[in-house]
Amino acid sequence: MFSNKQSWYFIGIGGVSMSALAQLLHSRGANVSGSDAVESSFTQKLVSLGIPVSIGDNGYIYADNVVYTGAIEENQKQLKAAREAGKRLLSRAELLGMVAEEYPHTISVAGCHGKTSTTSMLSHIFASGNRAFACHIGGEDLDFGNYYSTGGEYFITEACEFRRSFLSLNSEIAVILNTDRDHTDCYASEAELVEAYRLFANHAQKVVVNADDIHARNFTHALSFGLHAGDIQAENLQSEGEKYTFTVTEHGIPVERISLKTVGKYQICNALAAFAAARLAGFTPSEIKCGLENFHGVKRRFEEVGYIHGVPMICDYAHHPREILASFSSAQRLCRGTVRLVFQPHTFTRTRDLMSEFVSVLKKAENPLIYKTYAAREKFDFKGSAVALVSRLPEASYVQSPEDLRVRLEQEVEAGDLVLVLGAGDIYDIAKSICD
């Protein structure tokens, strides 16, 4: 289907997931081009591969197939022109579903958090086991980037719950890491969200669920995992610098001792999920151990990006209350002094609808700095703004520019401290720009 007879144009080609799909189609010999609002490392990589990318929305679309992201508005200039010209329009989710159908086997990883790390872990297991696979990652694995392929037997992909995108996938193995409340802009209730996960599970032949998740554990499944329950568990945990070693048990029987190279106790859960999925795919425990221990991490997942005023700065993609707590807890265990927390809210609806959860978590930090909201696809809503969040946190301060952030941190940090920068927006690039 994706041959040199097919031409594809990606609106928003610089997105992590979109650029991965563009690379995949290009590797299959398809004629691929696209556009994005701004130049980025992703657009630069695509150009280096020979994929034409225009910046802005003035480029004319010659391709017959046009792919767009959920963040693109209906009246976006190029999308509107393509529609009027009778082009074939596909959402990113629809294309992902079509791509998956091209592979004999598909493993898809869903959940509010942990998708990128677990998908990457599975990719390393397949690579270590010399199995033919392609991975579509919603972040940048430190070794594989956001797309990597050794062949066409297995397709390993993240499955995003936003706007029920994951329902486009029919998987041989589906992994549900958690069903935490999120994306309140497209799910009117928790029940709606849980039902979407249930439908996602129903689209799969075999399902792996988190036994510690109150909803997921009730889905029909082939294997379960968890820190406190499940078929696949971790015992005898040991930590050095927040990097964990543990024994994996299957149905209560110890099978392998694994040492992770990534920081955070939450990575154990991701590893157990990957372990369970790999077992269903036919890997031995020793093969899985090798793959997991070859995983070095993902960009923006507890990544040290530099120093400010002599104090290390760590960036993490955490933008949901549970993720923030996990990242902050790891930082506290590593820090001799004070964890100086910087948080950028991501979308107004998430901040508004999970306000009490955000407040509960952020107040654990000493004088946190709240950076202006990254709106993403949304219009301003004061109730979900960074200012509204700060108004409920007397200890917090609001900052709205890179220079303000740099000055505040340089004034506050002391030897032994650690700066922890959290958020899924542009705060990562901002943090790197103010490092010494």
Side-chain angles (χ1 to χ4, degrees):
M1 180 182 293
F2 306 111
S3 67
N4 55 15
K5 297 179 181 179
Q6 291 276 332
S7 56
W8 298 81
Y9 191 95
F10 288 72
I11 301 176
I13 198 169
V16 184
S17 177
M18 288 282 273
S19 66
L21 288 171
Q23 291 175 65
L24 189 153
L25 266 61
H26 177 72
S27 70
R28 294 283 196 91
N31 183 1
V32 178
S33 59
S35 65
D36 211 311
V38 296
E39 187 177 17
S40 66
S41 60
F42 292 112
T43 60
Q44 292 169 356
K45 180 178 181 180
L46 293 172
V47 170
S48 72
L49 294 173
I51 299 174
V53 177
S54 62
I55 303 302
D57 60 0
N58 293 316
Y60 182 75
I61 299 176
Y62 293 94
D64 294 320
N65 302 289
V66 177
V67 186
Y68 61 94
T69 71
I72 298 294
E73 295 183 359
E74 284 291 313
N75 60 353
Q76 195 266 0
K77 186 176 179 180
Q78 287 179 304
L79 184 59
K80 183 179 179 182
R83 187 181 296 109
E84 292 173 349
K87 306 286 186 181
R88 182 190 184 198
L89 302 180
L90 296 105
S91 68
R92 183 204 63 83
E94 289 172 327
L95 176 60
L96 181 60
M98 290 170 56
V99 167
E101 292 295 330
E102 295 281 298
Y103 290 80
H105 312 283
T106 295
I107 301 177
S108 50
V109 182
C112 177
H113 18 259
K115 293 188 294 291
T116 297
S117 292
T118 305
T119 303
S120 294
M121 287 175 174
L122 275 166
S123 300
H124 282 274
I125 293 169
F126 272 75
S128 297
N130 295 314
R131 298 276 281 275
F133 76 100
C135 60
H136 169 259
I137 303 172
E140 290 184 89
D141 181 276
L142 295 180
D143 297 304
F144 296 154
N146 62 340
Y147 167 71
Y148 183 77
S149 177
T150 65
E153 183 183 0
Y154 272 86
F155 183 57
I156 306 169
T157 182
E158 290 191 31
C160 182
E161 73 276 15
F162 177 62
R163 293 185 178 174
R164 298 169 175 79
S165 295
F166 56 10
L167 297 186
S168 66
L169 290 163
N170 295 303
S171 310
E172 179 172 307
I173 301 170
V175 180
I176 300 178
L177 300 171
N178 45 73
T179 61
D180 288 353
R181 184 180 173 223
D182 199 8
H183 297 303
T184 55
D185 53 334
C186 51
Y187 292 101
S189 65
E190 183 181 50
E192 274 193 16
L193 175 64
V194 172
E195 181 59 23
Y197 277 107
R198 188 184 302 278
L199 290 173
F200 167 70
N202 289 345
H203 286 189
Q205 296 174 36
K206 302 174 185 177
V207 182
V208 173
V209 301
N210 183 349
D212 294 332
D213 186 284
I214 190 172
H215 302 297
R217 65 191 181 203
N218 293 319
F219 299 161
T220 301
H221 57 272
L223 279 178
S224 61
F225 68 92
L227 286 177
H228 307 290
D231 303 316
I232 309 294
Q233 294 189 50
E235 294 184 351
N236 302 321
L237 277 61
Q238 292 180 317
S239 171
E240 183 175 344
E242 269 302 278
K243 295 179 181 179
Y244 283 82
T245 297
F246 53 93
T247 298
V248 177
T249 64
E250 283 189 358
H251 304 289
I253 301 172
V255 290
E256 281 293 347
R257 186 82 177 156
I258 294 174
S259 296
L260 298 179
K261 292 183 172 68
T262 49
V263 169
K265 191 174 182 179
Y266 53 89
Q267 291 287 18
I268 299 174
C269 290
N270 297 333
L272 293 176
F275 193 102
R279 290 294 277 149
L280 292 179
F283 286 88
T284 66
S286 61
E287 288 174 326
I288 300 171
K289 168 187 169 70
C290 182
L292 290 175
E293 292 186 344
N294 282 338
F295 172 61
H296 297 99
V298 178
K299 284 186 179 180
R300 296 189 73 168
R301 276 34 174 211
F302 218 85
E303 176 190 0
E304 185 172 313
V305 297
Y307 290 79
I308 184 164
H309 219 48
V311 170
M313 180 181 289
I314 291 175
C315 287
D316 195 274
Y317 200 70
H319 56 287
H320 183 279
R322 182 170 292 190
E323 295 167 346
I324 294 169
L325 179 60
S327 186
F328 181 66
S329 297
S330 291
Q332 281 188 308
R333 288 190 285 267
L334 284 172
C335 184
R336 292 185 294 108
T338 300
V339 176
R340 305 291 179 178
L341 190 146
V342 179
F343 173 58
Q344 180 187 47
H346 189 268
T347 74
F348 297 107
T349 53
R350 178 183 287 113
T351 309
R352 180 195 67 206
D353 296 339
L354 302 181
M355 181 66 77
S356 61
E357 291 94 330
F358 278 115
V359 170
S360 177
V361 170
L362 292 169
K363 70 180 182 181
K364 297 178 184 297
E366 183 176 319
N367 304 322
L369 299 177
I370 310 299
Y371 200 83
K372 66 178 179 182
T373 303
Y374 187 79
R377 57 196 171 268
E378 297 183 344
K379 295 181 180 179
F380 179 78
D381 179 355
F382 179 79
K383 292 181 179 179
S385 68
V387 174
L389 178 58
V390 169
S391 71
R392 299 194 179 198
L393 287 165
E395 314 86 352
S397 298
Y398 174 74
V399 288
Q400 61 177 2
S401 74
E403 181 61 16
D404 289 344
L405 180 60
R406 183 189 65 79
V407 170
R408 287 299 301 268
L409 287 174
E410 289 186 347
Q411 290 174 343
E412 295 181 8
V413 297
E414 298 177 356
D417 289 352
L418 182 154
V419 177
L420 180 64
V421 182
L422 306 178
D426 57 3
I427 194 66
Y428 176 72
D429 292 327
I430 291 168
K432 292 202 297 182
S433 74
I434 65 172
C435 286
D436 298 338

